[in-house]
């Protein structure tokens, strides 16, 4: 089964990506080809950059890797962007749990470029004003 799955790499500041993976486990159990690399305050960004490249290469079965980062313009985003030309990957910022769950469910059915756009929709559709959503205002 794993050969047909697009690899997904979460890149975030601090332990955020580890928390997302813990959330994924609550809903889906262990997920194949889902990895994360946290960047902490004292980490060397050049070492992190090389680690990201290694993870992309490891996760890529030839169809590319989906990279999900936390913050546009942050170091994880910049590192991911630096590899987009040399390595086969797509990158989406603003990672959240609905985005990752949807990516895991849809990754067998679409190419990585389409999956990236699908994740953006899943993430934004999950952002609502609860009071308004429940008709309380």
């Amino acid at each position: 089964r794993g050969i047909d799955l697009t690899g997904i790499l979460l890149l975030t500041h601090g332990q955020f990506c580890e928390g997302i993976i813990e959330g994924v486990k609550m809903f889906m159990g262990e997920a194949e080809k889902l990895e994360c690399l946290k960047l902490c305050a004292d980490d060397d960004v050049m070492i992190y950059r090389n680690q990201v490249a290694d993870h992309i290469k490891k996760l890529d079965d030839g169809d590319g890797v989906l990279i999900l980062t936390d913050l546009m313009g942050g170091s994880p985003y910049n590192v991911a962007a630096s590899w987009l030309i040399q390595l086969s990957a797509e990158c989406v910022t603003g990672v959240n749990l609905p985005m990752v769950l949807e990516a895991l469910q849809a990754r067998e059915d679409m190419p990585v470029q389409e999956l990236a756009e699908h994740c953006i929709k899943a993430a934004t559709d999950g952002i609502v004003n609860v009071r308004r959503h429940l008709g309380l205002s």
Side-chain angles (χ1 to χ4, degrees):
R1 204 188 112 131
I3 206 153
D4 298 324
L5 299 176
T6 299
I8 299 171
L9 179 59
L10 309 179
L11 304 179
T12 67
H13 294 88
Q15 297 175 342
F16 182 41
C17 59
E18 293 171 343
I20 290 174
I21 288 181
E22 286 303 310
V24 165
K25 288 178 185 176
M26 291 179 70
F27 286 95
M28 303 176 75
E30 290 288 332
E32 294 179 64
K33 294 179 66 179
L34 171 65
E35 296 184 8
C36 76
L37 274 173
K38 63 183 181 179
L39 179 66
C40 296
D42 294 334
D43 290 346
D44 181 314
V45 175
M46 290 311 295
I47 292 172
Y48 183 74
R49 184 175 187 277
N50 292 332
Q51 291 171 334
V52 168
D54 291 342
H55 276 71
I56 293 169
K57 291 172 190 172
K58 176 182 158 193
L59 288 168
D60 188 6
D61 283 341
D63 295 324
V65 172
L66 179 62
I67 303 169
L68 304 174
T69 68
D70 55 355
L71 180 67
M72 189 166 97
S75 293
Y77 164 93
N78 291 332
V79 166
S82 76
W83 287 118
L84 292 182
I85 293 173
Q86 291 176 277
L87 300 174
S88 181
E90 293 292 322
C91 183
V92 175
T93 65
V95 66
N96 62 26
L97 185 57
M99 177 191 286
V100 176
L101 292 172
E102 189 61 34
L104 290 168
Q105 292 174 346
R107 66 183 171 167
E108 290 183 67
D109 301 325
M110 58 187 69
V112 69
Q113 297 84 0
E114 188 178 334
L115 184 60
E117 295 304 315
H118 187 75
C119 287
I120 293 168
K121 182 175 180 351
T124 56
D125 285 353
I127 299 170
V128 298
N129 179 310
V130 176
R131 180 176 294 281
R132 195 173 317 132
H133 181 73
L134 296 175
L136 300 174
S137 62

